[in-house]
Amino acid sequence: NGPRGVAFSLTGDTAYVCSFNASKVWRFVRGGTAVDDDIAGIPVTYSLSQNYPNPFNPTTQINFALPAEGMTTLKVFDVLGREVAELLHSRMAAGHHTVTFDASLLPSGMYIYKLETGDKVFAKKMMLLK
């Protein structure tokens, strides 16, 4: 079940890795963000799950589901509304997705992560404890 193939985006900042049995596709974006795309079982509704673990130190996973392909952004904000990280800004396939957020350079505190896709916007809180 190891990697079978790797492809890179035209800009070279994204790598796509396919598993040997082609049931998983992982997407790695320059800057330490990993996106695990599970295209099996297309969801019927949009959803953004609570990050896990929460509270976290220093990494956490954010899961979301898209019933249709579309331009998608996932950003993290501090409690004053300042953007501290853009985890995702790309066209995403329909399916279940997982993004790993590494907050090792951020101070402890409450953060808000926001998913925007199409005309849908979702937001949730998470707690970083160091």
Side-chain angles (χ1 to χ4, degrees), residues 101-122:
F101 174 46
D102 183 350
S104 55
L105 299 178
L106 295 174
S108 295
M110 180 74 66
Y111 291 90
I112 294 131
Y113 56 103
K114 181 170 83 168
L115 176 73
E116 292 185 60
T117 182
D119 60 349
K120 307 290 184 197
V121 178
F122 302 91

Side-chain angles (χ1 to χ4, degrees), residues 63-128:
N63 297 305
F64 61 94
L66 306 174
E69 177 184 339
M71 190 62 187
T72 305
T73 60
L74 180 61
K75 295 180 180 182
V76 179
F77 300 88
D78 64 14
V79 291
L80 297 176
R82 297 178 295 210
E83 182 180 321
V84 296
E86 182 175 68
L87 306 179
L88 183 62
H89 183 91
S90 64
R91 189 157 201 78
M92 300 293 293
H96 299 275
H97 306 278
T98 301
V99 175
T100 301
F101 174 46
D102 183 350
S104 55
L105 299 178
L106 295 174
S108 295
M110 180 74 66
Y111 291 90
I112 294 131
Y113 56 103
K114 181 170 83 168
L115 176 73
E116 292 185 60
T117 182
D119 60 349
K120 307 290 184 197
V121 178
F122 302 91
K124 294 209 181 264
K125 293 185 232 175
M126 61 183 164
M127 177 67 80
L128 171 61

